[in-house]
PDB file of all heavy atoms in Angstrom:
ATOM      1  N   ALA A 136     -50.349 -56.873  10.463  1.00 98.00           N
ATOM      2  CA  ALA A 136     -50.380 -58.052   9.570  1.00 98.00           C
ATOM      3  C   ALA A 136     -51.127 -57.786   8.263  1.00 98.00           C
ATOM      4  O   ALA A 136     -51.622 -58.711   7.626  1.00 98.00           O
ATOM      5  CB  ALA A 136     -50.952 -59.275  10.290  1.00 98.00           C
ATOM      6  N   MET A 137     -51.221 -56.511   7.874  1.00 97.00           N
ATOM      7  CA  MET A 137     -51.862 -56.202   6.588  1.00 97.00           C
ATOM      8  C   MET A 137     -50.779 -55.876   5.575  1.00 97.00           C
ATOM      9  O   MET A 137     -50.143 -54.822   5.656  1.00 97.00           O
ATOM     10  CB  MET A 137     -52.792 -54.992   6.733  1.00 97.00           C
ATOM     11  CG  MET A 137     -53.922 -55.230   7.703  1.00 97.00           C
ATOM     12  SD  MET A 137     -55.008 -53.804   7.755  1.00 97.00           S
ATOM     13  CE  MET A 137     -55.670 -53.966   9.410  1.00 97.00           C
ATOM     14  N   GLY A 138     -50.563 -56.780   4.649  1.00 95.00           N
ATOM     15  CA  GLY A 138     -49.546 -56.558   3.631  1.00 95.00           C
ATOM     16  C   GLY A 138     -49.011 -57.874   3.115  1.00 95.00           C
ATOM     17  O   GLY A 138     -49.318 -58.936   3.651  1.00 95.00           O
ATOM     18  N   SER A 139     -48.202 -57.788   2.064  1.00 94.00           N
ATOM     19  CA  SER A 139     -47.659 -59.012   1.471  1.00 94.00           C
ATOM     20  C   SER A 139     -46.177 -58.884   1.167  1.00 94.00           C
ATOM     21  O   SER A 139     -45.641 -59.629   0.358  1.00 94.00           O
ATOM     22  CB  SER A 139     -48.409 -59.349   0.178  1.00 94.00           C
ATOM     23  OG  SER A 139     -49.715 -59.756   0.477  1.00 94.00           O
ATOM     24  N   SER A 176     -47.324 -61.089   5.528  1.00 97.00           N
ATOM     25  CA  SER A 176     -46.847 -60.059   6.426  1.00 97.00           C
ATOM     26  C   SER A 176     -45.767 -60.548   7.412  1.00 97.00           C
ATOM     27  O   SER A 176     -45.102 -59.731   8.038  1.00 97.00           O
ATOM     28  CB  SER A 176     -48.021 -59.508   7.236  1.00 97.00           C
ATOM     29  OG  SER A 176     -48.570 -60.523   8.060  1.00 97.00           O
ATOM     30  N   ASP A 196     -51.421 -66.220  10.025  1.00 98.00           N
ATOM     31  CA  ASP A 196     -51.863 -66.408   8.642  1.00 98.00           C
ATOM     32  C   ASP A 196     -53.358 -66.155   8.543  1.00 98.00           C
ATOM     33  O   ASP A 196     -54.162 -66.925   9.058  1.00 98.00           O
ATOM     34  CB  ASP A 196     -51.518 -67.834   8.187  1.00 98.00           C
ATOM     35  CG  ASP A 196     -51.540 -67.979   6.674  1.00 98.00           C
ATOM     36  OD1 ASP A 196     -52.545 -67.556   6.070  1.00 98.00           O
ATOM     37  OD2 ASP A 196     -50.564 -68.507   6.106  1.00 98.00           O
ATOM     38  N   THR A 197     -53.696 -65.046   7.891  1.00 98.00           N
ATOM     39  CA  THR A 197     -55.092 -64.676   7.703  1.00 98.00           C
ATOM     40  C   THR A 197     -55.488 -64.876   6.242  1.00 98.00           C
ATOM     41  O   THR A 197     -56.594 -65.290   5.923  1.00 98.00           O
ATOM     42  CB  THR A 197     -55.289 -63.193   8.093  1.00 98.00           C
ATOM     43  OG1 THR A 197     -54.778 -63.012   9.408  1.00 98.00           O
ATOM     44  CG2 THR A 197     -56.743 -62.779   8.036  1.00 98.00           C
ATOM     45  N   GLY A 198     -54.524 -64.568   5.366  1.00 97.00           N
ATOM     46  CA  GLY A 198     -54.783 -64.737   3.932  1.00 97.00           C
ATOM     47  C   GLY A 198     -53.571 -65.328   3.224  1.00 97.00           C
ATOM     48  O   GLY A 198     -53.578 -65.501   2.011  1.00 97.00           O
ATOM     49  N   GLY A 199     -52.515 -65.579   3.985  1.00 98.00           N
ATOM     50  CA  GLY A 199     -51.312 -66.141   3.361  1.00 98.00           C
ATOM     51  C   GLY A 199     -50.030 -65.677   4.006  1.00 98.00           C
ATOM     52  O   GLY A 199     -48.934 -66.006   3.552  1.00 98.00           O
ATOM     53  N   SER A 200     -50.134 -64.934   5.092  1.00 98.00           N
ATOM     54  CA  SER A 200     -48.965 -64.263   5.679  1.00 98.00           C
ATOM     55  C   SER A 200     -47.863 -65.174   6.170  1.00 98.00           C
ATOM     56  O   SER A 200     -46.747 -64.719   6.390  1.00 98.00           O
ATOM     57  CB  SER A 200     -49.408 -63.380   6.841  1.00 98.00           C
ATOM     58  OG  SER A 200     -49.843 -62.162   6.327  1.00 98.00           O
ATOM     59  N   LEU A 228     -56.507 -59.769  13.386  1.00 97.00           N
ATOM     60  CA  LEU A 228     -56.728 -59.030  12.150  1.00 97.00           C
ATOM     61  C   LEU A 228     -58.163 -59.356  11.742  1.00 97.00           C
ATOM     62  O   LEU A 228     -59.018 -58.489  11.709  1.00 97.00           O
ATOM     63  CB  LEU A 228     -55.705 -59.488  11.099  1.00 97.00           C
ATOM     64  CG  LEU A 228     -55.907 -59.026   9.669  1.00 97.00           C
ATOM     65  CD1 LEU A 228     -56.019 -57.517   9.576  1.00 97.00           C
ATOM     66  CD2 LEU A 228     -54.762 -59.494   8.785  1.00 97.00           C
ATOM     67  N   TYR A 328     -62.762 -62.201   0.417  1.00 97.00           N
ATOM     68  CA  TYR A 328     -61.745 -62.040   1.465  1.00 97.00           C
ATOM     69  C   TYR A 328     -61.632 -60.571   1.851  1.00 97.00           C
ATOM     70  O   TYR A 328     -61.612 -60.214   3.032  1.00 97.00           O
ATOM     71  CB  TYR A 328     -60.401 -62.582   0.965  1.00 97.00           C
ATOM     72  CG  TYR A 328     -59.245 -62.282   1.898  1.00 97.00           C
ATOM     73  CD1 TYR A 328     -58.984 -63.089   2.999  1.00 97.00           C
ATOM     74  CD2 TYR A 328     -58.431 -61.163   1.692  1.00 97.00           C
ATOM     75  CE1 TYR A 328     -57.945 -62.808   3.867  1.00 97.00           C
ATOM     76  CE2 TYR A 328     -57.381 -60.874   2.558  1.00 97.00           C
ATOM     77  CZ  TYR A 328     -57.146 -61.692   3.640  1.00 97.00           C
ATOM     78  OH  TYR A 328     -56.117 -61.403   4.502  1.00 97.00           O
ATOM     79  N   ASN A 332     -62.475 -59.365   5.480  1.00 97.00           N
ATOM     80  CA  ASN A 332     -61.312 -58.849   6.195  1.00 97.00           C
ATOM     81  C   ASN A 332     -61.569 -57.409   6.654  1.00 97.00           C
ATOM     82  O   ASN A 332     -61.451 -57.086   7.839  1.00 97.00           O
ATOM     83  CB  ASN A 332     -60.097 -58.949   5.255  1.00 97.00           C
ATOM     84  CG  ASN A 332     -58.803 -58.490   5.902  1.00 97.00           C
ATOM     85  OD1 ASN A 332     -58.702 -57.349   6.314  1.00 97.00           O
ATOM     86  ND2 ASN A 332     -57.820 -59.365   5.983  1.00 97.00           N
ATOM     87  N   ARG A 378     -58.758 -49.925   5.194  1.00 96.00           N
ATOM     88  CA  ARG A 378     -59.606 -51.098   5.488  1.00 96.00           C
ATOM     89  C   ARG A 378     -60.689 -50.759   6.508  1.00 96.00           C
ATOM     90  O   ARG A 378     -61.804 -51.259   6.433  1.00 96.00           O
ATOM     91  CB  ARG A 378     -58.763 -52.274   5.978  1.00 96.00           C
ATOM     92  CG  ARG A 378     -57.930 -52.847   4.853  1.00 96.00           C
ATOM     93  CD  ARG A 378     -57.453 -54.251   5.104  1.00 96.00           C
ATOM     94  NE  ARG A 378     -56.343 -54.540   4.212  1.00 96.00           N
ATOM     95  CZ  ARG A 378     -55.658 -55.666   4.207  1.00 96.00           C
ATOM     96  NH1 ARG A 378     -55.957 -56.615   5.054  1.00 96.00           N
ATOM     97  NH2 ARG A 378     -54.667 -55.849   3.361  1.00 96.00           N
ATOM     98  N   ALA A 443     -51.466 -55.536  -1.553  1.00 70.00           N
ATOM     99  CA  ALA A 443     -51.368 -56.288  -0.298  1.00 70.00           C
ATOM    100  C   ALA A 443     -52.241 -57.525  -0.350  1.00 70.00           C
ATOM    101  O   ALA A 443     -51.971 -58.526   0.286  1.00 70.00           O
ATOM    102  CB  ALA A 443     -51.778 -55.400   0.869  1.00 70.00           C
ATOM    103  N   ASP A 447     -52.433 -62.678  -2.582  1.00 95.00           N
ATOM    104  CA  ASP A 447     -53.018 -63.787  -1.818  1.00 95.00           C
ATOM    105  C   ASP A 447     -53.936 -64.675  -2.649  1.00 95.00           C
ATOM    106  O   ASP A 447     -54.635 -65.520  -2.099  1.00 95.00           O
ATOM    107  CB  ASP A 447     -53.851 -63.246  -0.637  1.00 95.00           C
ATOM    108  CG  ASP A 447     -53.053 -62.345   0.265  1.00 95.00           C
ATOM    109  OD1 ASP A 447     -51.837 -62.526   0.330  1.00 95.00           O
ATOM    110  OD2 ASP A 447     -53.661 -61.467   0.899  1.00 95.00           O
TER     111      ASP A 447
HETATM  112  N1  LIG B 601     -51.945 -60.000   2.374  1.00 94.07           N
HETATM  113  C1  LIG B 601     -52.944 -60.307   3.347  1.00 94.07           C
HETATM  114  C2  LIG B 601     -53.625 -59.056   3.817  1.00 94.07           C
HETATM  115  O1  LIG B 601     -53.050 -57.997   3.698  1.00 94.07           O
HETATM  116  C3  LIG B 601     -52.253 -61.039   4.407  1.00 94.07           C
HETATM  117  C4  LIG B 601     -52.958 -61.108   5.680  1.00 94.07           C
HETATM  118  C5  LIG B 601     -52.365 -62.088   6.614  1.00 94.07           C
HETATM  119  O2  LIG B 601     -52.329 -63.275   6.307  1.00 94.07           O
HETATM  120  N2  LIG B 601     -51.998 -61.606   7.768  1.00 94.07           N
HETATM  121  O3  LIG B 601     -54.740 -59.119   4.269  1.00 94.07           O
END
Side-chain angles (χ1 to χ4, degrees):
M137 298 183 207
S139 290
S176 64
D196 198 310
T197 307
S200 277
L228 170 55
Y328 172 83
N332 182 300
R378 290 200 198 177
D447 304 332

